[in-house]
Amino acid sequence: MAADGGTRHVLELGKIPDVIVGDLDSLPANFEVSKFENEVILYPKNKNETDLELAIQHALTLNPQEIIILAALGGRLDQTLGNIALISDLATCNLQLATQ
């Protein structure tokens, strides 16, 4: 699964995401979503959630055993801090810590 601009990273690795989630504002204007046979969950640009938050919410509907988040620090300080806050606040994601 790729959250908006994360799609670029996935494609650069030679992979195709199964799902693309977000408003796609971080992808080039000429990005052709229709080229992909995968699922695209498109949100409006004017929304309260970040694309990562929307991707996590969607991932949780799939009942995963784990969610691994890669390349979430972006390059903008506001997004980096927002993503750190998001994944550190497990209640926001409805996740429970497994004790080992």
Side-chain angles (χ1 to χ4, degrees):
M1 179 179 308
D4 196 357
T7 304
R8 290 189 324 267
H9 300 296
V10 175
L11 295 174
E12 286 174 10
L13 292 172
K15 305 288 184 186
I16 297 175
D18 294 323
V19 179
I20 300 173
V21 179
D23 56 18
L24 308 185
D25 66 343
S26 297
L27 294 173
N30 63 350
F31 182 78
E32 295 182 43
V33 175
S34 60
K35 282 182 17 178
F36 297 93
E37 294 178 6
N38 52 0
E39 182 179 359
V40 176
I41 304 172
L42 184 61
Y43 287 88
K45 290 181 183 14
N46 187 12
K47 60 188 180 337
N48 292 325
E49 302 87 356
T50 65
D51 294 318
L52 176 59
E53 186 173 357
L54 294 169
I56 291 171
Q57 289 173 0
H58 179 70
L60 289 171
T61 68
L62 305 174
N63 299 316
Q65 290 185 6
E66 67 181 351
I67 297 173
I68 300 172
I69 299 171
L70 303 172
L73 299 181
R76 289 180 30 196
L77 183 58
D78 60 334
Q79 289 181 342
T80 298
L81 293 174
N83 287 344
I84 290 170
L86 174 66
I87 60 178
S88 65
D89 182 9
L90 298 177
T92 301
C93 303
N94 295 320
L95 297 175
Q96 296 179 2
L97 289 175
T99 56
Q100 298 183 11

